[in-house]
Amino acid sequence: MPQALSFVHPLLMWVLLGLMLYSGYLGFKASQIRQVDAAERKEMIPLRYGQRHAALGRWIVALSLLVLATAALGPALQKGQDWARGLHVGLNGLIVLLFGWQAITGIAIVNKLLSA
């Protein structure tokens, strides 16, 4: 049983990475709504990309301090300030890179546990 508990952290990191990538996808789709024609917009709005992105973001916020910095940009993002959008995307890109690096390098630890 103790060896099985060693897999909890790596598994949670992979889940977090997946959630962050999905949240990024939802945010991207939400930003596309502003750029498409009225017919496409009418089809995309019921899918609630922006609301789903924000809801998932609230869960992710609880998991990372850097994510808190991106969430703090929410009011500026809602006002349409471009500097906040650029910082939001940049910080989230950094977070995804960090968690991706952690997930990939964690594979060596998982392989070591499996071979023991």
Side-chain angles (χ1 to χ4, degrees):
M1 183 67 170
Q3 186 177 10
L5 292 176
S6 300
F7 290 102
V8 172
H9 179 73
L11 178 63
L12 286 176
M13 291 298 100
W14 277 100
V15 168
L16 181 60
L17 178 63
L19 287 174
M20 293 175 83
L21 290 171
Y22 182 62
S23 180
Y25 166 77
L26 291 174
F28 174 73
K29 294 300 279 184
S31 72
Q32 281 187 325
I33 291 174
R34 288 181 254 125
Q35 301 168 357
V36 297
D37 60 55
E40 272 188 274
R41 185 177 301 124
K42 189 174 181 180
E43 291 177 19
M44 293 175 79
I45 287 175
L47 297 173
R48 301 178 48 234
Y49 291 118
Q51 293 88 343
R52 290 167 43 205
H53 171 73
L56 185 55
R58 285 189 289 273
W59 285 99
I60 294 171
V61 162
L63 304 174
S64 169
L65 185 58
L66 283 176
V67 176
L68 286 174
T70 67
L73 295 170
L77 289 169
Q78 290 173 348
K79 292 177 183 174
Q81 296 179 352
D82 287 335
W83 68 266
R85 184 166 286 113
L87 188 57
H88 178 77
V89 170
L91 285 172
N92 280 310
L94 175 64
I95 292 166
V96 169
L97 287 174
L98 288 172
F99 277 102
W101 172 73
Q102 185 178 15
I104 291 168
T105 58
I107 292 172
I109 297 168
V110 172
N111 284 336
K112 187 175 180 179
L113 289 169
L114 288 173
S115 65

PDB file of all heavy atoms in Angstrom, residues 26-51:
ATOM      1  N   LEU A  26     -10.341  26.113 -23.626  1.00  0.00           N
ATOM      2  CA  LEU A  26     -11.612  26.818 -23.430  1.00  0.00           C
ATOM      3  C   LEU A  26     -11.425  28.330 -23.536  1.00  0.00           C
ATOM      4  O   LEU A  26     -12.256  29.025 -24.124  1.00  0.00           O
ATOM      5  CB  LEU A  26     -12.217  26.456 -22.072  1.00  0.00           C
ATOM      6  CG  LEU A  26     -12.722  25.026 -21.909  1.00  0.00           C
ATOM      7  CD1 LEU A  26     -13.152  24.787 -20.470  1.00  0.00           C
ATOM      8  CD2 LEU A  26     -13.842  24.724 -22.877  1.00  0.00           C
ATOM      9  N   GLY A  27     -10.336  28.846 -22.967  1.00  0.00           N
ATOM     10  CA  GLY A  27     -10.054  30.276 -23.064  1.00  0.00           C
ATOM     11  C   GLY A  27      -9.810  30.706 -24.498  1.00  0.00           C
ATOM     12  O   GLY A  27     -10.263  31.773 -24.923  1.00  0.00           O
ATOM     13  N   PHE A  28      -9.109  29.883 -25.246  1.00  0.00           N
ATOM     14  CA  PHE A  28      -8.868  30.177 -26.660  1.00  0.00           C
ATOM     15  C   PHE A  28     -10.174  30.215 -27.442  1.00  0.00           C
ATOM     16  O   PHE A  28     -10.418  31.126 -28.235  1.00  0.00           O
ATOM     17  CB  PHE A  28      -7.914  29.131 -27.257  1.00  0.00           C
ATOM     18  CG  PHE A  28      -7.722  29.265 -28.736  1.00  0.00           C
ATOM     19  CD1 PHE A  28      -6.973  30.305 -29.255  1.00  0.00           C
ATOM     20  CD2 PHE A  28      -8.294  28.357 -29.601  1.00  0.00           C
ATOM     21  CE1 PHE A  28      -6.803  30.437 -30.628  1.00  0.00           C
ATOM     22  CE2 PHE A  28      -8.123  28.472 -30.970  1.00  0.00           C
ATOM     23  CZ  PHE A  28      -7.378  29.518 -31.488  1.00  0.00           C
ATOM     24  N   LYS A  29     -11.034  29.232 -27.204  1.00  0.00           N
ATOM     25  CA  LYS A  29     -12.331  29.196 -27.889  1.00  0.00           C
ATOM     26  C   LYS A  29     -13.177  30.410 -27.500  1.00  0.00           C
ATOM     27  O   LYS A  29     -13.871  30.974 -28.338  1.00  0.00           O
ATOM     28  CB  LYS A  29     -13.083  27.898 -27.576  1.00  0.00           C
ATOM     29  CG  LYS A  29     -12.422  26.651 -28.117  1.00  0.00           C
ATOM     30  CD  LYS A  29     -12.282  26.657 -29.612  1.00  0.00           C
ATOM     31  CE  LYS A  29     -13.542  26.255 -30.300  1.00  0.00           C
ATOM     32  NZ  LYS A  29     -13.436  26.145 -31.755  1.00  0.00           N
ATOM     33  N   ALA A  30     -13.120  30.803 -26.222  1.00  0.00           N
ATOM     34  CA  ALA A  30     -13.871  31.981 -25.773  1.00  0.00           C
ATOM     35  C   ALA A  30     -13.368  33.228 -26.482  1.00  0.00           C
ATOM     36  O   ALA A  30     -14.160  34.102 -26.853  1.00  0.00           O
ATOM     37  CB  ALA A  30     -13.761  32.139 -24.260  1.00  0.00           C
ATOM     38  N   SER A  31     -12.068  33.325 -26.697  1.00  0.00           N
ATOM     39  CA  SER A  31     -11.528  34.506 -27.381  1.00  0.00           C
ATOM     40  C   SER A  31     -11.897  34.511 -28.852  1.00  0.00           C
ATOM     41  O   SER A  31     -12.011  35.570 -29.465  1.00  0.00           O
ATOM     42  CB  SER A  31     -10.008  34.578 -27.211  1.00  0.00           C
ATOM     43  OG  SER A  31      -9.364  33.578 -27.978  1.00  0.00           O
ATOM     44  N   GLN A  32     -12.108  33.341 -29.435  1.00  0.00           N
ATOM     45  CA  GLN A  32     -12.497  33.271 -30.848  1.00  0.00           C
ATOM     46  C   GLN A  32     -13.896  33.825 -31.077  1.00  0.00           C
ATOM     47  O   GLN A  32     -14.194  34.314 -32.162  1.00  0.00           O
ATOM     48  CB  GLN A  32     -12.455  31.828 -31.341  1.00  0.00           C
ATOM     49  CG  GLN A  32     -11.075  31.335 -31.673  1.00  0.00           C
ATOM     50  CD  GLN A  32     -11.121  29.961 -32.312  1.00  0.00           C
ATOM     51  OE1 GLN A  32     -11.951  29.132 -31.967  1.00  0.00           O
ATOM     52  NE2 GLN A  32     -10.216  29.733 -33.237  1.00  0.00           N
ATOM     53  N   ILE A  33     -14.750  33.760 -30.058  1.00  0.00           N
ATOM     54  CA  ILE A  33     -16.121  34.248 -30.205  1.00  0.00           C
ATOM     55  C   ILE A  33     -16.135  35.711 -30.610  1.00  0.00           C
ATOM     56  O   ILE A  33     -16.980  36.145 -31.378  1.00  0.00           O
ATOM     57  CB  ILE A  33     -16.928  34.005 -28.906  1.00  0.00           C
ATOM     58  CG1 ILE A  33     -17.153  32.502 -28.725  1.00  0.00           C
ATOM     59  CG2 ILE A  33     -18.256  34.740 -28.919  1.00  0.00           C
ATOM     60  CD1 ILE A  33     -17.811  32.122 -27.416  1.00  0.00           C
ATOM     61  N   ARG A  34     -15.171  36.478 -30.111  1.00  0.00           N
ATOM     62  CA  ARG A  34     -15.103  37.904 -30.438  1.00  0.00           C
ATOM     63  C   ARG A  34     -14.692  38.154 -31.880  1.00  0.00           C
ATOM     64  O   ARG A  34     -14.829  39.258 -32.381  1.00  0.00           O
ATOM     65  CB  ARG A  34     -14.116  38.609 -29.508  1.00  0.00           C
ATOM     66  CG  ARG A  34     -14.639  38.745 -28.099  1.00  0.00           C
ATOM     67  CD  ARG A  34     -13.646  39.469 -27.213  1.00  0.00           C
ATOM     68  NE  ARG A  34     -13.051  38.464 -26.342  1.00  0.00           N
ATOM     69  CZ  ARG A  34     -11.758  38.225 -26.213  1.00  0.00           C
ATOM     70  NH1 ARG A  34     -10.896  38.937 -26.843  1.00  0.00           N
ATOM     71  NH2 ARG A  34     -11.327  37.287 -25.409  1.00  0.00           N
ATOM     72  N   GLN A  35     -14.157  37.146 -32.550  1.00  0.00           N
ATOM     73  CA  GLN A  35     -13.572  37.355 -33.872  1.00  0.00           C
ATOM     74  C   GLN A  35     -14.365  36.721 -35.012  1.00  0.00           C
ATOM     75  O   GLN A  35     -14.015  36.899 -36.172  1.00  0.00           O
ATOM     76  CB  GLN A  35     -12.144  36.800 -33.890  1.00  0.00           C
ATOM     77  CG  GLN A  35     -11.251  37.446 -32.857  1.00  0.00           C
ATOM     78  CD  GLN A  35      -9.935  36.704 -32.677  1.00  0.00           C
ATOM     79  OE1 GLN A  35      -9.703  35.677 -33.286  1.00  0.00           O
ATOM     80  NE2 GLN A  35      -9.083  37.236 -31.818  1.00  0.00           N
ATOM     81  N   VAL A  36     -15.411  35.956 -34.702  1.00  0.00           N
ATOM     82  CA  VAL A  36     -16.142  35.253 -35.752  1.00  0.00           C
ATOM     83  C   VAL A  36     -17.381  36.048 -36.159  1.00  0.00           C
ATOM     84  O   VAL A  36     -17.802  36.972 -35.468  1.00  0.00           O
ATOM     85  CB  VAL A  36     -16.545  33.829 -35.301  1.00  0.00           C
ATOM     86  CG1 VAL A  36     -15.308  32.982 -35.035  1.00  0.00           C
ATOM     87  CG2 VAL A  36     -17.450  33.865 -34.084  1.00  0.00           C
ATOM     88  N   ASP A  37     -17.967  35.633 -37.269  1.00  0.00           N
ATOM     89  CA  ASP A  37     -19.177  36.323 -37.741  1.00  0.00           C
ATOM     90  C   ASP A  37     -20.368  35.971 -36.850  1.00  0.00           C
ATOM     91  O   ASP A  37     -20.306  35.082 -36.009  1.00  0.00           O
ATOM     92  CB  ASP A  37     -19.457  35.980 -39.208  1.00  0.00           C
ATOM     93  CG  ASP A  37     -19.672  34.486 -39.417  1.00  0.00           C
ATOM     94  OD1 ASP A  37     -20.553  33.902 -38.750  1.00  0.00           O
ATOM     95  OD2 ASP A  37     -18.969  33.914 -40.267  1.00  0.00           O
ATOM     96  N   ALA A  38     -21.467  36.672 -37.061  1.00  0.00           N
ATOM     97  CA  ALA A  38     -22.640  36.560 -36.190  1.00  0.00           C
ATOM     98  C   ALA A  38     -23.229  35.142 -36.184  1.00  0.00           C
ATOM     99  O   ALA A  38     -23.675  34.660 -35.142  1.00  0.00           O
ATOM    100  CB  ALA A  38     -23.705  37.567 -36.612  1.00  0.00           C
ATOM    101  N   ALA A  39     -23.224  34.477 -37.325  1.00  0.00           N
ATOM    102  CA  ALA A  39     -23.792  33.120 -37.399  1.00  0.00           C
ATOM    103  C   ALA A  39     -22.981  32.144 -36.559  1.00  0.00           C
ATOM    104  O   ALA A  39     -23.534  31.338 -35.801  1.00  0.00           O
ATOM    105  CB  ALA A  39     -23.851  32.664 -38.853  1.00  0.00           C
ATOM    106  N   GLU A  40     -21.661  32.205 -36.697  1.00  0.00           N
ATOM    107  CA  GLU A  40     -20.797  31.327 -35.896  1.00  0.00           C
ATOM    108  C   GLU A  40     -20.899  31.660 -34.415  1.00  0.00           C
ATOM    109  O   GLU A  40     -20.911  30.772 -33.569  1.00  0.00           O
ATOM    110  CB  GLU A  40     -19.342  31.452 -36.341  1.00  0.00           C
ATOM    111  CG  GLU A  40     -18.947  30.526 -37.456  1.00  0.00           C
ATOM    112  CD  GLU A  40     -17.455  30.585 -37.697  1.00  0.00           C
ATOM    113  OE1 GLU A  40     -17.044  31.476 -38.468  1.00  0.00           O
ATOM    114  OE2 GLU A  40     -16.718  29.773 -37.117  1.00  0.00           O
ATOM    115  N   ARG A  41     -20.957  32.949 -34.114  1.00  0.00           N
ATOM    116  CA  ARG A  41     -21.065  33.397 -32.722  1.00  0.00           C
ATOM    117  C   ARG A  41     -22.330  32.815 -32.083  1.00  0.00           C
ATOM    118  O   ARG A  41     -22.315  32.349 -30.955  1.00  0.00           O
ATOM    119  CB  ARG A  41     -21.059  34.913 -32.645  1.00  0.00           C
ATOM    120  CG  ARG A  41     -21.037  35.449 -31.240  1.00  0.00           C
ATOM    121  CD  ARG A  41     -20.949  36.959 -31.181  1.00  0.00           C
ATOM    122  NE  ARG A  41     -19.730  37.441 -31.850  1.00  0.00           N
ATOM    123  CZ  ARG A  41     -19.709  38.304 -32.839  1.00  0.00           C
ATOM    124  NH1 ARG A  41     -20.825  38.831 -33.286  1.00  0.00           N
ATOM    125  NH2 ARG A  41     -18.585  38.670 -33.403  1.00  0.00           N
ATOM    126  N   LYS A  42     -23.408  32.816 -32.846  1.00  0.00           N
ATOM    127  CA  LYS A  42     -24.685  32.292 -32.342  1.00  0.00           C
ATOM    128  C   LYS A  42     -24.570  30.807 -32.002  1.00  0.00           C
ATOM    129  O   LYS A  42     -25.185  30.330 -31.042  1.00  0.00           O
ATOM    130  CB  LYS A  42     -25.785  32.528 -33.381  1.00  0.00           C
ATOM    131  CG  LYS A  42     -27.164  32.232 -32.888  1.00  0.00           C
ATOM    132  CD  LYS A  42     -28.207  32.619 -33.916  1.00  0.00           C
ATOM    133  CE  LYS A  42     -29.597  32.334 -33.389  1.00  0.00           C
ATOM    134  NZ  LYS A  42     -30.640  32.691 -34.349  1.00  0.00           N
ATOM    135  N   GLU A  43     -23.770  30.065 -32.767  1.00  0.00           N
ATOM    136  CA  GLU A  43     -23.551  28.646 -32.506  1.00  0.00           C
ATOM    137  C   GLU A  43     -22.612  28.428 -31.316  1.00  0.00           C
ATOM    138  O   GLU A  43     -22.772  27.464 -30.574  1.00  0.00           O
ATOM    139  CB  GLU A  43     -22.958  27.965 -33.733  1.00  0.00           C
ATOM    140  CG  GLU A  43     -23.898  27.852 -34.898  1.00  0.00           C
ATOM    141  CD  GLU A  43     -23.226  27.229 -36.111  1.00  0.00           C
ATOM    142  OE1 GLU A  43     -22.174  26.574 -35.951  1.00  0.00           O
ATOM    143  OE2 GLU A  43     -23.755  27.400 -37.228  1.00  0.00           O
ATOM    144  N   MET A  44     -21.626  29.320 -31.144  1.00  0.00           N
ATOM    145  CA  MET A  44     -20.602  29.129 -30.107  1.00  0.00           C
ATOM    146  C   MET A  44     -21.051  29.585 -28.719  1.00  0.00           C
ATOM    147  O   MET A  44     -20.630  29.003 -27.718  1.00  0.00           O
ATOM    148  CB  MET A  44     -19.317  29.857 -30.500  1.00  0.00           C
ATOM    149  CG  MET A  44     -18.627  29.279 -31.718  1.00  0.00           C
ATOM    150  SD  MET A  44     -17.203  30.254 -32.228  1.00  0.00           S
ATOM    151  CE  MET A  44     -15.990  29.712 -31.043  1.00  0.00           C
ATOM    152  N   ILE A  45     -21.884  30.602 -28.643  1.00  0.00           N
ATOM    153  CA  ILE A  45     -22.269  31.170 -27.344  1.00  0.00           C
ATOM    154  C   ILE A  45     -22.926  30.134 -26.425  1.00  0.00           C
ATOM    155  O   ILE A  45     -22.584  30.064 -25.247  1.00  0.00           O
ATOM    156  CB  ILE A  45     -23.137  32.435 -27.525  1.00  0.00           C
ATOM    157  CG1 ILE A  45     -22.237  33.573 -28.005  1.00  0.00           C
ATOM    158  CG2 ILE A  45     -23.846  32.816 -26.236  1.00  0.00           C
ATOM    159  CD1 ILE A  45     -22.951  34.851 -28.332  1.00  0.00           C
ATOM    160  N   PRO A  46     -23.846  29.276 -26.921  1.00  0.00           N
ATOM    161  CA  PRO A  46     -24.454  28.289 -26.009  1.00  0.00           C
ATOM    162  C   PRO A  46     -23.453  27.273 -25.440  1.00  0.00           C
ATOM    163  O   PRO A  46     -23.742  26.619 -24.436  1.00  0.00           O
ATOM    164  CB  PRO A  46     -25.496  27.583 -26.881  1.00  0.00           C
ATOM    165  CG  PRO A  46     -25.786  28.526 -27.997  1.00  0.00           C
ATOM    166  CD  PRO A  46     -24.507  29.279 -28.224  1.00  0.00           C
ATOM    167  N   LEU A  47     -22.297  27.158 -26.055  1.00  0.00           N
ATOM    168  CA  LEU A  47     -21.286  26.222 -25.547  1.00  0.00           C
ATOM    169  C   LEU A  47     -20.573  26.757 -24.308  1.00  0.00           C
ATOM    170  O   LEU A  47     -19.806  26.040 -23.678  1.00  0.00           O
ATOM    171  CB  LEU A  47     -20.277  25.883 -26.656  1.00  0.00           C
ATOM    172  CG  LEU A  47     -20.896  25.167 -27.853  1.00  0.00           C
ATOM    173  CD1 LEU A  47     -19.881  25.023 -28.974  1.00  0.00           C
ATOM    174  CD2 LEU A  47     -21.460  23.814 -27.460  1.00  0.00           C
ATOM    175  N   ARG A  48     -20.775  28.043 -24.001  1.00  0.00           N
ATOM    176  CA  ARG A  48     -20.312  28.682 -22.768  1.00  0.00           C
ATOM    177  C   ARG A  48     -18.814  28.479 -22.502  1.00  0.00           C
ATOM    178  O   ARG A  48     -18.399  28.156 -21.399  1.00  0.00           O
ATOM    179  CB  ARG A  48     -21.128  28.156 -21.583  1.00  0.00           C
ATOM    180  CG  ARG A  48     -22.616  28.413 -21.738  1.00  0.00           C
ATOM    181  CD  ARG A  48     -23.476  27.860 -20.614  1.00  0.00           C
ATOM    182  NE  ARG A  48     -22.956  28.199 -19.319  1.00  0.00           N
ATOM    183  CZ  ARG A  48     -22.694  27.293 -18.360  1.00  0.00           C
ATOM    184  NH1 ARG A  48     -22.932  26.026 -18.567  1.00  0.00           N
ATOM    185  NH2 ARG A  48     -22.231  27.670 -17.195  1.00  0.00           N
ATOM    186  N   TYR A  49     -18.006  28.687 -23.525  1.00  0.00           N
ATOM    187  CA  TYR A  49     -16.561  28.516 -23.364  1.00  0.00           C
ATOM    188  C   TYR A  49     -15.995  29.419 -22.269  1.00  0.00           C
ATOM    189  O   TYR A  49     -15.209  28.977 -21.434  1.00  0.00           O
ATOM    190  CB  TYR A  49     -15.825  28.794 -24.671  1.00  0.00           C
ATOM    191  CG  TYR A  49     -16.065  27.765 -25.747  1.00  0.00           C
ATOM    192  CD1 TYR A  49     -16.668  28.111 -26.947  1.00  0.00           C
ATOM    193  CD2 TYR A  49     -15.660  26.448 -25.556  1.00  0.00           C
ATOM    194  CE1 TYR A  49     -16.871  27.173 -27.942  1.00  0.00           C
ATOM    195  CE2 TYR A  49     -15.872  25.504 -26.553  1.00  0.00           C
ATOM    196  CZ  TYR A  49     -16.475  25.873 -27.741  1.00  0.00           C
ATOM    197  OH  TYR A  49     -16.677  24.941 -28.719  1.00  0.00           O
ATOM    198  N   GLY A  50     -16.385  30.682 -22.275  1.00  0.00           N
ATOM    199  CA  GLY A  50     -15.861  31.624 -21.287  1.00  0.00           C
ATOM    200  C   GLY A  50     -16.240  31.246 -19.869  1.00  0.00           C
ATOM    201  O   GLY A  50     -15.406  31.270 -18.962  1.00  0.00           O
ATOM    202  N   GLN A  51     -17.497  30.866 -19.658  1.00  0.00           N
ATOM    203  CA  GLN A  51     -17.938  30.475 -18.324  1.00  0.00           C
ATOM    204  C   GLN A  51     -17.265  29.195 -17.867  1.00  0.00           C
ATOM    205  O   GLN A  51     -16.876  29.069 -16.698  1.00  0.00           O
ATOM    206  CB  GLN A  51     -19.474  30.296 -18.286  1.00  0.00           C
ATOM    207  CG  GLN A  51     -20.242  31.576 -18.473  1.00  0.00           C
ATOM    208  CD  GLN A  51     -20.517  31.883 -19.943  1.00  0.00           C
ATOM    209  OE1 GLN A  51     -19.899  31.342 -20.845  1.00  0.00           O
ATOM    210  NE2 GLN A  51     -21.448  32.804 -20.172  1.00  0.00           N
TER     211      GLN A  51
END
